[in-house]
Every structure is written in structure tokens, then in C-alpha cells.
Amino acid sequence: MNKKFYSSAIKKTPFEYLPSKKIAKVINSGLIYNEAFEKCVTNDELNIVSEQRRQEVFNVVYDRIISLDSYLLKEFINSSVSTSKFILVYAIANTDPLFMEFLLVAYREALIGNKKYISISDFDDFFNLIKEKNNVVARWGKTTITQLSGGYRNILVESGIAKRIKKNMYPCKAIVNPNVVKHIKENGGAAFLQAVLGEK
């Protein structure tokens, strides 16, 4: 098995749907990284007050969006909100192996298992499991794990694939354009669909 690179970037830059749409349109217009950076960060296309924060959001989101092929990029820009947000979750999972593992381990279990929700302790259990097998995650402190859990919860709720009731997260079956699902499945995304749609 290839060694996975686990990141905690989600703790500061979780879903970011509106900035992602803006950056996607810039990329779709044909601008390369430096040109996109100038438009979004230097010229503040993102409408974020702090330049440092603009850079932070831009760099994380840019990596997510360029992981999409041309079909998914156009669908992300033009599809219904529910399908567009689903594609963004896919882009995040595509570029963040730890979040992808969370979807496969914790989210899928809540979606198709008997418990039907993800509790605070389920987040703790997931990260403790990863700490046992990954030296990078093992060095993360309690604050990082708490913030990362918050980032994951933000993605689940903002994307619409879960709803928060008190402190628990209840998975919701996503409403997605079937052509998008088919495309993802045919282009290496079967595991993601198993996790988020409960496919076999």
C-alpha cells in the first residue's frame, strides 16, 4: 500500500463553496496559476478582507478544483446546487486522503449501518485509529484534532450530505445528477460513491 500524505488543512479551510465557485470559473476561463492568483488574491476577487487569508483559501481551493477533469469542472460551475456541492465534496476527498478515509470509515457506516449518525466520540475514535497507524497524525495535538473534526462537520453540513441534530451528524442521501455519478464511477471514483452514496 502506498504511503498516504495526511493533511490538517481542512481545519482552516473546510468547504468554502462560494470561493470555490469563483476560483472554478477563473480556472475554466483558461487562466494559469499565476494569473488566477493575481485575479483572486491580488485583485481580491474572493472578497476576503485579509490578504493572508485570501492566499490560504486560494491555494487550498485551487488544488481541489484543478483535481477535477473538464467535465466535472463545468458541471461544478453549471449544475444544480446539490450536484455542484456533491462535486466539491468529491474534489476535497480527491485531494485529502484523510478526509476520504473518514468518509469510507465513519460516514459510510453511519449511512448504511444501524447507528445512523456520527457522534463526537465517533470522530475521536476515527482519529485515534489513524494515530495508531500514521506517525504524522500521531503527532497532532488535541487542538488540531478538535479543529479538524470541526472542519469535517462543516463540510458535511454545508454540502448537504449530513444534518446536525444537537451534537450528532446524520447522513443524508445526496441528490445528484445521475450523469455526474456515472462519470465519477467510470473515472476512478467508485470508492467515493461507496462512501457517500452507500453504493456496493
Side-chain angles (χ1 to χ4, degrees), residues 14-17 80-90 92 99 103 107 111 118 151-164 169-176 192 196-197:
F15 198 53
E16 303 293 351
Y17 180 64
S80 67
V81 172
S82 58
T83 292
S84 180
K85 287 185 173 183
F86 183 83
I87 293 171
L88 183 53
V89 177
Y90 177 63
I92 296 169
F99 179 65
L103 293 176
Y107 182 88
L111 183 65
I118 308 169
Y152 285 15
R153 290 162 71 86
N154 172 273
I155 293 170
L156 297 181
V157 172
E158 293 296 320
S159 68
I161 65 169
K163 60 182 177 181
R164 182 188 286 114
M169 310 297 293
Y170 288 78
C172 306
K173 196 72 175 283
I175 300 171
V176 192
F192 172 79
V196 180
L197 296 182

Side-chain angles (χ1 to χ4, degrees), residues 130-195:
I130 301 300
K131 281 188 170 195
E132 290 175 3
K133 62 180 184 179
N134 185 275
N135 291 332
V136 172
V137 180
R139 291 194 292 270
W140 292 349
K142 185 176 180 180
T143 300
T144 295
I145 296 298
T146 299
Q147 291 175 341
L148 199 50
S149 295
Y152 285 15
R153 290 162 71 86
N154 172 273
I155 293 170
L156 297 181
V157 172
E158 293 296 320
S159 68
I161 65 169
K163 60 182 177 181
R164 182 188 286 114
I165 300 177
K166 295 183 178 179
K167 293 184 178 181
N168 297 324
M169 310 297 293
Y170 288 78
C172 306
K173 196 72 175 283
I175 300 171
V176 192
N177 181 335
N179 292 328
V180 168
V181 173
K182 183 173 182 285
H183 182 87
I184 290 173
K185 182 181 289 187
E186 291 175 348
N187 289 273
F192 172 79
L193 298 176
Q194 288 171 359

Side-chain angles (χ1 to χ4, degrees), residues 13-196:
T13 309
F15 198 53
E16 303 293 351
Y17 180 64
L18 292 179
S20 297
K21 291 277 278 194
K22 291 177 181 178
I23 292 169
K25 289 175 182 177
V26 169
I27 292 171
N28 192 51
S29 73
L31 298 187
I32 62 173
Y33 173 85
N34 288 342
E35 295 168 331
F37 183 92
E38 181 175 2
K39 187 175 182 66
C40 293
V41 178
T42 307
N43 298 337
D44 192 17
E45 183 81 8
L46 302 180
N47 294 319
I48 298 173
V49 175
S50 163
E51 183 171 354
Q52 181 179 348
R53 179 61 182 155
R54 288 200 298 272
Q55 290 182 27
E56 192 173 59
V57 170
F58 176 82
N59 285 321
V60 171
V61 169
Y62 183 88
D63 285 345
R64 293 171 180 171
I65 300 304
I66 62 167
S67 76
L68 299 173
D69 60 30
S70 58
Y71 171 80
L72 289 178
L73 177 62
K74 288 181 173 61
E75 288 297 317
F76 174 61
I77 294 169
N78 299 315
S79 288
S80 67
V81 172
S82 58
T83 292
S84 180
K85 287 185 173 183
F86 183 83
I87 293 171
L88 183 53
V89 177
Y90 177 63
I92 296 169
N94 231 11
T95 53
D96 193 305
L98 184 56
F99 179 65
M100 179 64 189
E101 194 155 348
F102 168 80
L103 293 176
L104 283 166
V105 172
Y107 182 88
R108 177 176 165 81
E109 175 60 29
L111 183 65
I112 66 174
N114 295 323
K115 189 175 178 182
K116 303 302 182 190
Y117 65 88
I118 308 169
S119 66
I120 295 293
S121 63
D122 290 328
F123 281 94
D124 293 338
D125 291 344
F126 170 75
F127 286 113
N128 287 333
L129 176 69
I130 301 300
K131 281 188 170 195
E132 290 175 3
K133 62 180 184 179
N134 185 275
N135 291 332
V136 172
V137 180
R139 291 194 292 270
W140 292 349
K142 185 176 180 180
T143 300
T144 295
I145 296 298
T146 299
Q147 291 175 341
L148 199 50
S149 295
Y152 285 15
R153 290 162 71 86
N154 172 273
I155 293 170
L156 297 181
V157 172
E158 293 296 320
S159 68
I161 65 169
K163 60 182 177 181
R164 182 188 286 114
I165 300 177
K166 295 183 178 179
K167 293 184 178 181
N168 297 324
M169 310 297 293
Y170 288 78
C172 306
K173 196 72 175 283
I175 300 171
V176 192
N177 181 335
N179 292 328
V180 168
V181 173
K182 183 173 182 285
H183 182 87
I184 290 173
K185 182 181 289 187
E186 291 175 348
N187 289 273
F192 172 79
L193 298 176
Q194 288 171 359
V196 180

